[in-house]
Amino acid sequence: DEKLCSECGHCFAVCQEDIGVAGRDIRACINCGQCTAACPEGALSVRNDVESVAAAVRDPSKVVIFSTSPSVRVGLDDAFGYTRGAYEEGKMVSALRALGGDYVLDVTFSADLTIMEEGTELLGRILNGNAPLPQFTSCCPAWVKFVEIFHPDMIGHISSAKSPIGMQGAVIKTYFAAKHGIDPQSIVNVAVTPCSAKKAEILRPEFNVAGRSVGRPEMCDNDYVITAKELAGWIKAEGIDYERLPDSDFDSIMGKGTGAGVIFGNTGGVMEAALRMAYTAVEKKPAPDSLLSFEPVRGLEGVKTASVEIGGQTIKTAVIYGTENAEKFMERDDFGAFHFVEVMTCPGGCISGSGQPQGDIIPPPDSLRKSRISNMYAEDRNLPLRNSIDNPEVQQLYREFFSEPGSEFAELMLHTHYYPRSGSDAEK
């Protein structure tokens, strides 16, 4: 909105200095939305999809399913002036039911599923040499697009595992629909996220595997993304008394995640979850306490490195946030010595996604980020299951549907491919 812009330059600065996109010869956007989070005037905003979702709720022929990302529950309360960064799950679920959701599911389920697939892929790369190392995480769509545009030679390093939301949509419109006797064409999948880049990710043409499986390739796996900020605005617009909402539980089947799935929202969380799973898969015993609180990958440093012994082999890892930091990391002399590298675009991880409520301080201070991160780790500690490999609903999914991680059917449904973008394609 040009009328609100004060030409302060904050948007350009974050895009150039932290994201590493502005100022390049290639005209492109990786959809991270951090320019909107840095804008003190509110002149930049993310496309709002609430009205489209509300229309689906009003349509009696539609089955609206909300799936909530882990970080939303440490951001939503901030929009209502409560304790900053507080972990609030029960009210969030109740609010989505009050808004008309037929089912409310948890993306921590698919975070665990992602770890099973991504961890299996990593072990294959390390033990069999069937793909280049290091393996990059693929959970952050802004990071994936950054590589596609600026470093297409590195595409083979990105895990082929879809992001948790990518997996969630595909499984809902196949397995979940069959279990509940729902016509998948009547389902409207709505992901509730801290991330604006997810709005672009769900539009990737290859994210229609559920539709292809039932002969309707035009049917997307996920239909809409609304951010935590949009959800808060919708709750207020409907006059829902958020403070008085009772706590509710997620629906069964795809409503149960482990602590490993919860910490996905933190920088280092994906890495920590993957190491817990890999240790148990190789060593055939529970992950030790050191991996249940793997301090070397925690914190707000832009680049962190650590090593862990698994199966008699030293696994060298790195955790990065900020695509500018990732680009510099790829230029390191010892880059090829690493096995697994987690990259998130936003500062501190998804907990600082551009779709998170920000309060009255723009950009959000590190104190808020630290509070959100701390509360995610606290929830992990409080949960009875803290390793993705132990999730009983994920185990059931493999028994009944995918057979095992990395199976041919799992590869078809839960994995994807990436491609170089240049010219006009880089602007999409």
Side-chain angles (χ1 to χ4, degrees):
D1 186 339
E2 294 286 354
K3 297 187 297 296
L4 297 177
C5 179
S6 65
E7 299 185 1
C8 66
H10 290 172
C11 56
F12 186 88
V14 71
C15 189
Q16 183 177 45
E17 297 168 13
D18 299 330
I19 309 305
V21 170
R24 288 178 178 264
D25 293 336
I26 299 174
R27 179 179 175 85
C29 174
I30 62 171
N31 312 120
C32 70
Q34 282 300 310
C35 55
T36 70
C39 179
E41 310 297 341
L44 290 165
S45 59
V46 175
R47 187 192 72 234
N48 193 310
D49 291 300
V50 165
E51 183 47 46
S52 297
V53 177
V57 167
R58 294 191 294 267
D59 186 340
S61 69
K62 301 299 184 182
V63 177
V64 177
I65 301 177
F66 290 108
S67 294
T68 62
S69 294
S71 296
V72 174
R73 62 208 76 183
V74 291
L76 191 57
D77 268 19
D78 292 341
F80 296 93
Y82 303 136
T83 303
R84 306 204 70 186
Y87 190 97
E88 182 56 75
E89 183 176 288
K91 288 186 188 302
M92 174 190 68
V93 175
S94 289
L96 291 167
R97 296 198 193 284
L99 290 169
D102 294 294
Y103 296 92
V104 183
L105 307 179
D106 196 357
V107 176
T108 60
F109 167 89
S110 286
D112 286 333
L113 184 60
T114 297
I115 285 299
M116 296 303 295
E117 292 297 321
E118 191 171 56
T120 299
E121 180 185 1
L122 175 64
L123 291 174
R125 292 189 187 217
I126 294 172
L127 300 176
N128 304 323
N130 54 15
L133 291 169
Q135 176 179 301
F136 285 121
T137 56
S138 55
C139 300
C140 175
W143 155 243
V144 170
K145 190 174 179 184
F146 183 88
V147 174
E148 289 179 321
I149 296 171
F150 302 113
H151 295 280
D153 57 311
M154 289 288 179
I155 286 175
H157 288 266
I158 302 177
S159 168
S160 66
K162 291 179 181 176
S163 70
I165 285 173
M167 292 190 183
Q168 186 92 348
V171 175
I172 286 174
K173 289 192 176 181
T174 53
Y175 176 76
F176 183 90
K179 295 287 282 188
H180 287 278
I182 303 170
D183 178 357
Q185 295 179 64
S186 71
I187 292 175
V188 177
N189 267 337
V190 183
V192 185
T193 83
C195 173
S196 66
K198 295 294 181 185
K199 291 176 182 278
E201 181 189 35
I202 67 168
L203 299 178
R204 291 181 71 109
E206 60 270 22
F207 276 35
N208 69 340
V209 64
R212 282 185 275 125
S213 72
V214 295
R216 296 296 300 270
E218 74 281 3
M219 184 177 75
C220 295
D221 295 338
N222 289 287
D223 299 287
Y224 299 104
V225 165
I226 61 173
T227 65
K229 193 181 296 183
E230 290 168 23
L231 173 60
W234 190 12
I235 292 169
K236 293 174 181 178
E238 292 294 327
I240 295 170
D241 189 344
Y242 179 78
E243 185 175 9
R244 294 182 180 276
L245 286 173
D247 287 345
S248 294
D249 294 326
F250 290 103
D251 288 292
S252 61
I253 308 179
M254 303 183 68
K256 187 177 185 63
T258 68
V262 168
I263 62 174
F264 250 61
N266 292 343
T267 177
V270 178
M271 176 65 67
E272 189 166 339
L275 291 176
R276 294 177 190 181
M277 175 269 175
Y279 182 93
T280 299
V282 173
E283 301 282 2
K284 309 300 182 186
K285 59 185 178 182
D289 290 344
S290 60
L291 289 183
L292 296 178
S293 182
F294 196 46
E295 295 296 336
V297 301
R298 296 185 176 190
L300 282 176
E301 296 81 14
V303 178
K304 301 177 285 288
T305 61
S307 297
V308 62
E309 295 291 326
I310 298 178
Q313 184 165 347
T314 300
I315 308 300
K316 196 170 183 180
T317 68
V319 168
I320 303 168
Y321 71 76
T323 38
E324 175 68 8
N325 285 332
E327 186 163 61
K328 292 176 181 177
F329 182 85
M330 288 187 285
E331 297 170 353
R332 287 174 50 151
D333 291 339
D334 63 344
F335 169 74
F338 286 84
H339 297 90
F340 193 32
V341 181
E342 175 201 302
V343 182
M344 294 186 181
T345 301
C346 299
C350 304
I351 53 94
S352 283
S354 61
Q356 290 281 66
Q358 294 175 258
D360 54 356
I361 303 176
I362 296 175
D366 279 351
S367 59
L368 175 58
R369 296 186 178 110
K370 289 177 181 178
S371 176
R372 289 175 175 174
I373 288 170
S374 175
N375 286 324
M376 297 279 267
Y377 284 131
E379 178 66 11
D380 169 39
R381 290 193 301 272
N382 291 334
L383 288 174
L385 298 176
R386 302 182 62 191
N387 192 328
S388 298
I389 205 168
D390 296 326
N391 186 324
E393 291 190 357
V394 170
Q395 293 172 352
Q396 179 183 354
L397 177 66
Y398 280 112
R399 286 195 305 270
E400 298 180 355
F401 203 55
F402 290 126
S403 180
E404 62 183 3
S407 68
E408 184 177 348
F409 189 40
E411 287 284 336
L412 173 68
M413 297 290 292
L414 305 179
H415 292 253
T416 188
H417 63 277
Y418 315 107
Y419 49 86
R421 298 172 184 256
S422 60
S424 60
D425 203 32
E427 298 182 33
K428 293 179 182 177

